[in-house]
Every structure is written in structure tokens, then in C-alpha cells.
Amino acid sequence: MLPTLKHSKIDELDALTITSPDYTATVLLQGAQLIHFSTRTGPDNWLWVSDKAEYKVGDSVRGGVPICWPVFGQFEANPQQVKDSFANCRFDLKQHGFARNQIFDVDLFNPLHVNRRLDHFSSLTLSLPKLEDFHPKLGLQVRFLFSSYSFSIALTTTNHSDETVHFSQALHTYLPTGDIEQTTIKGLDQVTYSDALDNWITKTQQGEVTFSEGVDRIYHAAPALIVVEPRASLPHIESKGSNSTVVWNPWHTKAHEISQFAAEDYKKMLCVETANAHLDTVSLTPGESHQLSVEIMHLPFI
């Protein structure tokens, strides 16, 4: 049976659900935001979504994979060349850009691809409509691939203006965990990072990343493959076109300040974000494109 695509409404937001015998995925048209992915053998949802999430027009949903674009984090914390590129932008860039609040167009749904290994997967491509008076002129396309063992998201940014544009971005992936204090991230040992909770001081990771307090770090020149524990299976995160990895958990000290977030939610989630952020930004000359992508796979314990 081929995968099917169904349109639905979740409160105020339009959603697309792809269903196959092997997997199910739900993407919101607002923000091209993946909020659910599951397989026959994996967790009920590979992504974390807050029980207090609100599906309202104009507000990003707390959970899944929000898209931060064309700036990551607070606009004023970005390098000067990024701020200069968007100095005349009429959209709200104060926090994580504006793509996460825009309604995307559906370009293409292909229910069946087969690669050389005879793996079967489906694809969904969305794009940001051309926005009037958006300066500089950037195009954004989002392509999702879904299979029985993984999903991937690829952001392609194209510079349609006549000047070089500097921007930052992230796939702000929320992951579930049974107990944040027992959770570790492998693959970042000896990687330098900027600590947002300590005046952006540059530090070096020693061993695995663990959680016993709030964490808000941007790892620079991070490896392409990262493993998160513990789970019934290990989430492997593979990135491309990314020069930084963001790791975030607000802890109880910040949880009460976050919208659509319960006081105890910090115990059940973490963010591992594929990004070009803070010191790591992207420069596009006129006509040039850049692709940022992440693939998440669940592999059994060996």
C-alpha cells in the first residue's frame, strides 16, 4: 500500500498527515513544522511536543521541529553582518526569525522513492511563498523524507537578491526523554562551545554532555553524527550543511518563563538543534543556494 496524504485541522492550524504501513508523520503548514513521526517498531512519537502546546495562527507550536530562519536566537545577539543584511526587513526578527509563523505552500508529495539499497521512503516538499517587500529576497524550500527507520528535513535557502546575504538558522529539534537527569549526549567530547548561560564564554566539552542544571550551548564545528541516550533505541542525529549544534534544556529555573510549557516539562525533553548560529553563519552570494539538513534514525542497542 502506498503512503497517503491527508489534509486536516488541528485547532486553528492546517496539517498534513502522511500514513503508510510502516510510518506516520504530521507536518503543520504554518512554519513547515514536523510535530509527529512514528514507526511500527519505534516510540509513539520520535519528537517531544508539550501537553500545553497551542495550535494558533501566528504562534509557533512548542515541540516537534520548529524552523528558525533567517536568524537564529535573539536578533541583536547575531553577528553584525547578519543584522546588516536584515536591517530593512519588515518582518519580526526579534527571536528565531519569522519562518515559523508563516504559512507554507505545498509543492510536491511523492509517495514512493526507492534508492540503491531498495529502501522505500516518501517525500513532502513545502516552500515559503514569495513575500512582498521582504528584503533581502531569499527563497526557502523545506523537503521531508520519511521511511520505516528514519526521517530527514532539508532546508534550502536561495539568494534571489543582487547582494551577498548573511543569515543564521536552525532546525530546532525537540526530543523526548524519560528522565533528563539520566540523559547523555555522545559525540561532542572536546568540542568547543559558547555558553549562553555564562556570558557566552567559550568552553570545551569534557566527556559526554549530561544534565544537572540548565543548559544552553552552541557547539562549534560539531561532528555530523551525535547519539542521545537513554531510549529503547538510540536516536542518531546526522547533520549536513551545519557548522554548529545547539543543546538546550531550560531546567526548573527557566521553565516558568516559557510559553506553552508546563513546570515539569523540562524533565521530559531536550533540544539538539542542527544549526548555523552565533559565530557560525552562512553567506550567500547572488544566485547561490545553501542546504541545511538533519536525519534522525532509531537503531537498536547492540
Side-chain angles (χ1 to χ4, degrees):
M1 187 175 94
L2 288 176
T4 59
L5 181 69
K6 179 182 178 182
H7 293 249
S8 65
K9 218 43 163 176
I10 304 177
D11 197 359
E12 296 181 2
L13 301 183
D14 291 305
L16 302 174
T17 297
I18 297 170
T19 304
S20 86
D22 297 318
Y23 54 85
T24 302
T26 300
V27 177
L28 301 175
L29 288 184
Q30 178 175 277
Q33 183 174 351
L34 179 67
I35 58 169
H36 178 270
F37 180 77
S38 62
T39 64
R40 286 187 301 174
T41 57
D44 292 338
N45 190 355
W46 291 23
L47 301 166
W48 180 84
V49 178
S50 174
D51 290 338
K52 295 188 72 175
E54 299 175 0
Y55 297 82
K56 304 296 184 183
V57 173
D59 293 327
S60 181
V61 173
R62 179 70 64 185
V65 190
I67 292 172
C68 304
W69 184 93
V71 296
F72 172 83
Q74 295 181 357
F75 181 72
E76 290 303 322
N78 276 262
Q80 189 61 47
Q81 58 187 4
V82 173
K83 291 189 285 186
D84 289 345
S85 287
F86 296 95
N88 298 318
C89 182
R90 69 178 180 86
F91 292 91
D92 183 2
L93 298 173
K94 292 179 183 176
Q95 183 72 18
H96 289 324
F98 63 88
R100 60 195 181 134
N101 299 327
Q102 299 296 313
I103 306 301
F104 280 66
D105 290 333
V106 180
D107 291 344
L108 179 67
F109 170 62
N110 191 329
L112 182 62
H113 294 269
V114 181
N115 63 18
R116 294 183 211 173
R117 296 182 301 174
L118 299 181
D119 295 321
H120 292 73
F121 54 96
S122 60
S123 68
L124 174 67
T125 304
L126 308 179
S127 63
L128 188 66
K130 290 183 179 179
L131 302 172
E132 295 298 326
D133 300 324
F134 172 34
H135 179 83
K137 295 178 181 178
L138 294 179
L140 179 63
Q141 186 180 76
V142 186
R143 189 183 191 215
F144 301 89
L145 297 179
F146 303 112
S147 76
S148 61
Y149 61 89
S150 73
F151 73 82
S152 67
I153 308 173
L155 303 186
T156 300
T157 302
T158 303
N159 183 6
H160 298 297
S161 65
D162 56 4
E163 59 190 33
T164 297
V165 178
H166 308 273
F167 68 98
S168 55
Q169 60 182 340
L171 291 162
H172 197 305
T173 305
Y174 287 81
L175 298 172
T177 184
D179 182 356
I180 188 62
E181 295 189 65
Q182 300 300 316
T183 299
T184 59
I185 300 176
K186 296 183 177 181
L188 293 172
D189 184 31
Q190 300 304 310
V191 177
T192 59
Y193 64 89
S194 299
D195 192 339
L197 301 181
D198 192 10
N199 296 312
W200 295 101
I201 292 175
T202 299
K203 303 177 181 180
T204 300
Q205 179 65 39
Q206 302 296 326
E208 299 174 354
V209 180
T210 59
F211 298 86
S212 58
E213 59 184 352
V215 172
D216 191 355
R217 303 171 183 170
I218 300 178
Y219 288 84
H220 305 289
L225 183 64
I226 296 172
V227 181
V228 182
E229 294 182 297
R231 296 294 300 262
S233 58
L234 302 179
H236 287 239
I237 303 171
E238 186 168 0
S239 61
K240 295 179 181 179
S242 166
N243 288 319
S244 46
T245 295
V246 181
V247 177
W248 177 72
N249 181 284
W251 215 247
H252 62 81
T253 52
K254 294 284 187 179
H256 64 282
E257 300 176 6
I258 301 172
S259 63
Q260 304 177 48
F261 199 86
E264 301 295 301
D265 275 351
Y266 77 94
K267 297 179 179 180
K268 302 177 288 186
M269 56 69 64
L270 70 155
C271 286
V272 181
E273 308 169 36
T274 303
N276 292 292
H278 189 44
L279 304 177
D280 305 317
T281 59
V282 179
S283 299
L284 288 182
T285 58
E288 189 178 11
S289 294
H290 174 272
Q291 187 173 94
L292 171 74
S293 67
V294 63
E295 181 177 17
I296 296 183
M297 302 156 278
H298 271 275
L299 304 177
F301 285 109
I302 298 174

